[in-house]
Every structure is written in structure tokens, then in C-alpha cells.
Amino acid sequence: MSWTLICAAIAFLIYMIYNAIVLKQFGIPNSLSDTYYLYQAKKPWMRFLFPIMMFSIVALLMPAWLEISAFSNLQFLAFLAAGSIAFTGAAPAFKGNVMESTIHSVSAIGAAIFSLAWIIFVSKTWILIIIWFITFIVISLLTKSLNRARIYWLENVAFFSTFLSIIFTSIFIV
């Protein structure tokens, strides 16, 4: 097992643990970014858990993203996705001032677009996007949270697709 695969698996584990704790403490949030405010309301210092989680994911995924993309002309998508995730974490107070809100929103949308483009054009595991989209639609319907938490579910489609695409591609293709 390569060290890049181990790093990607650890990133996925961090994401899963973070979400499991959020779901246990607060229920289904409106968005992953909303957890910044949910934790801040609990204890102000805890608001930093969201940026720490985002930076950890980027740091751990980047080596695998680069290794898998090494011979692709689209390797820049990995940099754009990682940078967008990092900027989303760096500007977590999206309900605050206009500048931070804009940085956060543009970065979050960019992270999803660049990650999904990387999955489709570089790893070519686009079927994972469809599988996770259907899975999270079913979960959101069963939990009756589709209307309130649609952003959270779409974020999970992007993150789950990205993690599993990297892990799958690392195991079977690289």
C-alpha cells in the first residue's frame, strides 16, 4: 500500500469522523460550512475545527491527487480543487463580511466543480458521482432533510466522490 493511498484514506477518515460528530451533536446541518457557526455557538474556540478539517483534507489528498494526475494535461485541476478547498476553510465566516462571504462561496463552488471535473476527466471514475448522488438523494428523502440541507448533501456527493475516486484510482490504476 502506497503512502499516498494511506494519506487519502486518513483524509477520508478525518472527514467521516468530523461528519459523524457533527451529526451526533447537531443533527443534519444546512451545509458543512454551517458547522463553523454550530461549533462557535457551543464554544468559541471550537469554530476552528472546520478550517482544521478542511486544511487536513487538502494536505493529505494533494500527494495522491498529484501522483494520479502526473501524466495528465489536466493536473492543474488537482491544484485548483485543493486550493479552493483550502480557501473555503480559510474563509469560514461566510455569514460575516461581504469579502469573506464571497471568498468562501466562490471557493466552495470552485472546489466542487474542479474536484468533479478531475474525477470525470483525469481519474475517469465518473460513475462514483452518479452513485453518490443517488445515495444521498435517498438518504435526504428518508431523513426528510432534502429541502433544508440540500447544500450539505451536495457537498457530500462532491467529497465522497473525490475521496473514493482517489482511493479507487490509487488501488487499481496507479
Side-chain angles (χ1 to χ4, degrees):
M1 186 179 292
S2 73
W3 70 275
T4 55
L5 177 59
I6 293 168
C7 287
I10 292 169
F12 186 49
L13 188 62
I14 289 169
Y15 183 79
M16 293 296 294
I17 290 169
Y18 184 86
N19 273 279
I21 292 169
V22 164
L23 292 171
K24 185 171 178 9
Q25 289 184 346
F26 308 111
I28 301 168
N30 294 334
S31 69
L32 195 57
S33 301
D34 246 0
T35 63
Y36 172 82
Y37 293 103
L38 293 171
Y39 277 123
Q40 183 177 6
K42 192 170 184 155
K43 290 189 179 174
W45 67 267
M46 292 179 82
R47 71 181 184 266
F48 295 111
L49 294 176
F50 173 74
I52 289 169
M53 184 264 306
M54 297 295 275
F55 294 141
S56 299
I57 287 171
V58 168
L60 291 164
L61 286 184
M62 201 62 208
W65 253 332
L66 293 177
E67 182 179 313
I68 294 166
S69 306
F71 301 104
S72 171
N73 291 332
L74 300 173
Q75 188 177 41
F76 70 92
L77 290 172
F79 284 102
L80 292 174
S84 295
I85 293 169
F87 272 105
T88 303
F94 66 95
K95 295 178 183 175
N97 69 41
V98 175
M99 186 168 169
E100 190 161 353
S101 175
T102 303
I103 292 169
H104 181 91
S105 300
V106 170
S107 297
I109 292 167
I113 290 169
F114 298 131
S115 295
L116 296 176
W118 183 88
I119 291 167
I120 294 166
F121 299 116
V122 178
S123 79
K124 297 180 177 39
T125 53
W126 55 267
I127 192 72
L128 291 172
I129 298 167
I130 296 168
I131 291 168
W132 287 112
F133 184 76
I134 293 168
T135 300
F136 286 117
I137 288 292
V138 169
I139 293 169
S140 68
L141 291 172
L142 291 173
T143 60
K144 297 180 172 107
S145 62
L146 180 61
N147 290 331
R148 180 185 52 77
R150 108 183 94 235
I151 293 173
Y152 177 74
W153 296 119
L154 289 173
E155 290 168 333
N156 274 294
V157 168
F159 273 112
F160 269 71
S161 299
T162 301
F163 287 125
L164 295 178
S165 177
I166 289 170
I167 291 168
F168 177 82
T169 306
S170 293
I171 291 171
F172 296 109
I173 297 173
V174 174

